[in-house]
Every structure is written in C-alpha cells, then in structure tokens.
Amino acid sequence: MPQVPQTFDALAVRTWCGLALQALGRARAEIDAINVYPVADGDTGTNLYLTVESAATAVEAVFAGHDAMGAVGGTSDAASAGPGRPTLADAVQAMAHGALIGARGNSGTILAQLLRGMAQVLAADSETAHTDGQGLRLALRHAADSAREAVAHPVEGTVLTVASAAADAASGAEDGCGAVARAAYEGACAALAATPGQLAVLRRAGVVDAGGRGLVAVLAALVQTFTGEAPGASGAVVHARVEDEAAAGRPDAGECGDGPPAEGGPAFEVIYLLEADDAAVSRLRSRLDGLGESLVVVGGDGLWNVHVHVDDAGAAVEAGVEAGRPYRIRITHFAAGDVHTGGAGRPPREPAQRAVVAVVPGEGLAGLYAEAGATTVLARAGEPPVSGELVDAVRRAHAREVVLLPNDAELRHTAAAAAEQARTEGVRVALIPTRSAVQGIAALAVHEPERRFDEDVVAMTSAAGATRYAEVAVAERQSWTMAGICQAGDVLGLIEDDVAVIGSDVTETAEIVLDRMLAAGGEMVTLVLGDEAPEAIAAHLESRVRESYLAVDTVVYRGGRQGPLLLIGVE
C-alpha cells in the first residue's frame, strides 16, 4: 500500500484535489443524468468537475511556485520543510480561491463555499504545517454552516443537507484524519440516500440529489487520501429508486416555507465574479433575492461568486455593476424544455433543437442577447475569449444545432476552432463571421428557430452582412492611421475597422461618423452606448437622424463596460 498522510498537510490537500477530480471525472455523466433540481439542465456533474479542476490547478500552481523557490534557495525536496514546500494555509487558500473563480452552476458555487469554509479553519494559523482529526472535524463543520449561510433560501434534500450530515457524523468520529473522513463520508452517503424522501422532485424522478452525489464523490476522495483505498461501492448511493409507497405521504421541502418554486421557473441562469465590499454585497443579495431564485453568493475579502436564476438577466448584471465590478459573466438561457423544480417529474431535458452562442463586449449587451435567447460569452477589454470558452458556451447552450456569432473580426480563427471542436462532439455548428456586436444584433433580429437550419443561417448571415458598423473610441497611444497620425487621448471614429475620423470631441466625432455611414443610405440606426460615453450623446444623435434622414429609425442600447465609447450599426 502506498504511503498515505496521517495528518492534513499541504501534500494531503494536493492529493485530495487530484483524487476528487478523478472521482468526479468518472461520475460526471452519471451525475449529469440525475440532475433534476433546481433545474433539470443535466450539467451538475460537469459543473462540479470544472469547479474542482480549477481548485486543483490552483493548488498545483502553488506547489510549482514553491518548487521554483526551493530550487533557487538550494532545495527542491517538496517533502521537506523550507521554501520548497507550501504550508497548509498556502494549499487550502489556493484550493478555495481556485474553486471560487472557477465555480460553475448552483452546485459548483456551493462546493466552492464548502472548500472556502474548510480553508478558513485550516488556514487560521498561517504557519502550521498540518492539522489533525480535530482540525478536520472543525473544518467540515464550518464548511457546512458557511455554505448554508451563502444560500438565500436553503432547501433540505440537497447538497446542503448532505454536507451538514457529513459534519454531524464527523463530530462523533474517533481521532485521526482517516477516521474523521470515513465518518463524514458514511454520514453523507446516508443523507444522500434519504434525499428523495425530502424533495418531491427527486422522489418523482426516482433519483438522489445530484449535487449531494457529487459531494459524496469528493468525500470518498478524502477517505482515499488518508487510507490509500477508495471506500467500497456498497457505501456509495448513486441512484435511488423510491420503492416505499408510504414515502409519497412524507412531507417534503415543497410543503414548507422555504421550499422549491412552482413549475415554470426563471428563464436565465446568471453567474459572475464580483469585486465588491461586504456592505455592497449585502445590498446585492437583497436585490437579487427579489429578482429571482436559486440565489447563492459565496466568497469574501473583496471577491465573490454570484449565482442566480432570473427572468431579467440584464437586471441581475446591472445589480452587480452597482455593487462593484462584475466580470467573467455567464448568462445561460434555459430552453423551453427545462424542468424547474415544481414540475420535474420527468427525466433531464433533451437537447434543444437550435441555439445561438454570441460573444459580446459588455454586460448590457450580454443581458440584451440573453433576453433574445442567446448564450453569451463576455469579451473583456484586453482579454478576448479563447476557443475553450466558446466551446464551453456551446455545451451550455445544450442544442443539436448552434449558430455561433463571434462579433469580432479578430475572433474569426478562435471561433472556427471552437466550432470544429463542437462538431467533433456531435453538434451541428454554423459560424456566421459577424465582425461587430451590432451585426450580431441584426442577425438575432431575424433568427427563427422553427425554420430549417440552413435557411435560418442564410437569413441571419444576410442581415449581418447588410449592417455596416462603426465605433467611437479613445486612442491609447500615438499611432499611424488611415486618417493620419493620432495622439494618445484623441477621439477616433472607426468605420468597418479602419480609422476614418480623428477628433477631440466624442459627440462631434460620432456625428461625423454617422453622417458618413448614412450617406450610403440606411433604414435603421443602432447605437450601443458604453459606460464612459457622454450622457447627452444618444439624444443628440437621435435628433440628428430624425432631422436629417427621413424614414430612418434609431434604437439605443446600453452596453456597459464594452471598451468603445459607442458602437454604431446602420442597416
């Protein structure tokens, strides 16, 4: 038997993360298949896997950094004390931070808070090299309690119940990390088996809670970390068929005050990281709680992961903007076939027939696109999305056919690579080479999922191609352009990606650009305002169009922090 740690130290954290990732990798499809709560979108296993993958990557990075320091300092023995080996605090804090920034979905967000709760206890003494069974007991207790506090309306029969049962069981275990871990695992298994009796949606579907099942896998990895052996399969409950007819008469969370919502839940899942202080987050919780359900806000020390299901995705993002700085925003539109809690007596949904995936430059447009039914990827200023992010969005769209809108000429190759990867996974993908978000808006306006795929793609491509685009931005440095030499701070008017105007006033430059575009004709002007655009610019440009160009309509959108001050589209 390989040597196993007797105490919880940095190496044990590293081992646990690796084993948990392997366990979730094996159980990923199975957990996805039993995912019926809070939304039957079939991705809980995937979300948990990606959350732990981010945690494990962060821990590996800490070890790599300390190994490098050790090599410089003359020691590379990671098992010895000194600069080559992280402390327990280093490892658990990296684990918690990695999980926080990589958390996906409702269950992934809760798991991130569980790991953060453990880290808060285990890292309390930043210099300690390890902790014993008692320290692990306290960490599991704090993890369960802090996760429950992070959920706006806790529901029994979920991963929260399983986590609490694990902590309860661990509290009565013998000393030693192995004994504590095994007790926690066995308590979690028993609680998981009981979840169908607590949530009617699980009982009707004949399954256990998917998030709880994932936590059991993570705790099984903890047992293996300290014993060298994975718990026997007999102890793991993975899929429960409720045979006891009397169970139908048991009360469940749906009959209590904080129970699951009625059938027909919110249309969007909104997730983002948020930089904000505690007071702002407290206000944000109250506002989001009024907007939707399945609200989970985890984190602290200025960095938070926010998850909520809402009908108004734009309002949820706007609330984050008012609280602080949201980024890594992911908005997923639940297809009409999604099963929400009250009506989930059916298996997880089949893929939708067709979906649209779009890259957008600002939070406001992310909300706009999502309300039109698109799955969005936020392109942050200076941080264009990579192909993996686009592939992940295609997977989240959960459709047999996907129309991909990159909305940026620079993303053509990235989008093509993502489309090719998605095709290998059995998804039919059409890439429309939109070069601006306003072209994407035009394409979405004519999108009709009921049409044949090829006809829909042709119509969307034609609409995008018929939309000329421009933007107004501020020059960051001196450079040569098609319009001459610009200096840092100059206002640039770009038409079809080429600098056409160099000016000093934003509104004046925007008017010149608009006049040049409308000189070739047009029926519709689309204006997308960035946060830094002058307040009066929209009214001024609307007035200009109304007075000078008959039969041309204007529509204005708020783009948020989109990079350019203004995007202009002319159809």
Side-chain angles (χ1 to χ4, degrees):
M1 180 185 298
Q3 184 177 1
V4 295
Q6 298 303 305
T7 58
F8 204 4
D9 59 7
L11 287 173
V13 174
R14 185 188 203 182
T15 301
W16 181 32
C17 287
L19 291 173
L21 189 62
Q22 293 174 22
L24 287 171
R26 292 189 297 269
R28 181 173 176 173
E30 169 198 302
I31 297 172
D32 282 345
I34 65 172
N35 171 203
V36 297
Y37 181 86
V39 177
D41 46 0
D43 62 0
T44 291
T46 299
N47 288 337
L48 289 170
Y49 178 87
L50 293 172
T51 301
V52 172
E53 181 181 49
S54 182
T57 299
V59 172
E60 288 301 322
V62 165
F63 270 85
H66 279 75
D67 285 346
M69 290 170 58
V72 171
T75 175
S76 59
D77 181 6
S80 65
R85 180 179 180 182
T87 64
L88 174 61
D90 292 333
V92 295
Q93 287 171 341
M95 173 185 70
H97 182 74
L100 178 67
I101 64 173
R104 306 294 182 94
N106 189 71
S107 294
T109 308
I110 293 173
L111 178 60
Q113 185 65 11
L114 287 167
L115 296 180
R116 176 178 170 81
M118 293 186 69
Q120 287 175 324
V121 172
L122 298 174
D125 182 354
S126 61
E127 299 302 319
T128 187
H130 58 82
T131 193
D132 55 12
Q134 176 62 12
L136 182 54
R137 284 192 199 96
L138 295 174
L140 291 168
R141 177 79 274 159
H142 186 65
D145 293 345
S146 62
R148 190 171 288 269
E149 291 170 2
V151 177
H153 300 285
V155 173
E156 298 306 327
T158 65
V159 63
L160 297 175
T161 305
V162 175
S164 294
D168 291 343
S171 66
E174 297 178 359
D175 288 337
C177 288
V180 172
R182 184 172 293 279
Y185 166 76
E186 291 174 352
C189 285
L192 180 65
T195 56
Q198 296 172 291
L199 268 179
V201 57
L202 302 178
R203 183 168 65 246
R204 289 194 296 268
V207 298
V208 295
D209 179 67
R213 166 67 182 100
L215 180 57
V216 164
V218 171
L219 291 173
L222 187 63
V223 175
Q224 188 175 358
T225 298
F226 293 113
T227 66
E229 297 179 356
S234 60
V237 179
V238 297
H239 193 279
R241 291 290 174 185
V242 180
E243 305 293 347
D244 183 4
E245 294 296 331
R250 295 177 193 158
D252 62 76
E255 298 162 6
C256 302
D258 269 347
E263 184 172 359
F268 302 102
E269 177 183 58
V270 178
I271 304 173
Y272 48 81
L273 290 178
L274 177 70
E275 293 179 356
D277 59 36
D278 291 1
V281 169
S282 179
R283 294 190 295 272
L284 175 67
R285 288 180 194 269
S286 297
R287 181 168 177 188
L288 292 180
D289 194 27
L291 285 174
E293 58 190 42
S294 297
L295 173 61
V296 186
V297 181
V298 304
D301 301 321
L303 180 63
W304 309 82
N305 191 305
V306 179
H307 170 281
V308 67
H309 294 173
V310 292
D311 279 321
D312 190 342
V317 174
E318 181 182 339
V321 172
E322 291 180 2
R325 187 178 82 87
Y327 60 103
R328 293 196 185 181
I329 299 169
R330 294 193 297 275
I331 301 175
T332 303
H333 180 256
F334 294 128
D338 279 337
V339 181
H340 289 261
T341 307
R346 296 166 282 178
R349 69 176 169 101
E350 290 293 315
Q353 184 59 35
R354 189 173 309 156
V356 176
V357 172
V359 179
V360 292
E363 300 90 345
L365 282 181
L368 173 68
Y369 270 74
E371 288 168 8
T375 297
T376 61
V377 178
L378 189 68
R380 300 167 294 279
E383 298 180 56
V386 296
S387 61
E389 290 182 81
L390 301 188
V391 173
D392 180 51
V394 171
R395 292 171 181 150
R396 286 190 284 121
H398 199 54
R400 297 182 180 90
E401 301 167 341
V402 170
V403 179
L404 182 57
L405 306 175
N407 291 341
D408 187 337
E410 298 297 323
L411 290 177
R412 181 182 60 178
H413 297 300
T414 300
E420 190 59 35
Q421 173 61 38
R423 292 182 187 115
T424 67
E425 299 178 8
V427 181
R428 187 181 184 189
V429 181
L431 171 60
I432 298 179
T434 49
R435 294 177 290 173
S436 171
V438 291
Q439 288 189 323
I441 291 172
L444 266 181
V446 301
H447 170 52
E448 291 186 14
E450 296 76 19
R451 276 192 299 223
R452 289 179 54 245
F453 186 60
D454 292 340
E455 292 177 355
D456 197 29
V457 171
V458 168
M460 295 176 73
T461 303
S462 297
T467 302
R468 300 188 301 282
Y469 64 94
E471 67 179 55
V472 177
V474 176
E476 296 181 356
R477 58 186 175 276
Q478 183 188 62
S479 62
W480 291 85
T481 75
M482 296 286 290
I485 300 175
C486 73
Q487 305 295 328
D490 282 348
V491 179
L492 306 180
L494 295 87
I495 300 177
E496 306 281 328
D497 297 322
D498 288 326
V499 176
V501 181
I502 300 175
S504 57
D505 180 78
V506 174
T507 301
E508 181 181 314
T509 302
E511 183 177 320
I512 294 171
V513 169
L514 186 56
D515 283 341
R516 291 192 185 184
M517 296 181 73
L518 286 172
E523 298 176 352
M524 170 72 77
V525 171
T526 300
L527 304 175
V528 182
L529 305 179
D531 279 349
E532 303 301 320
E535 283 294 326
I537 191 171
H540 179 86
L541 295 178
E542 284 184 287
S543 176
R544 174 68 177 173
V545 172
R546 186 169 54 252
E547 294 172 1
S548 303
Y549 302 95
L550 298 178
V552 178
D553 295 322
T554 305
V555 61
V556 179
Y557 300 111
R558 294 284 174 178
R561 282 188 291 268
Q562 63 183 21
L565 299 173
L566 175 68
L567 299 176
I568 303 173
V570 174
E571 298 177 47

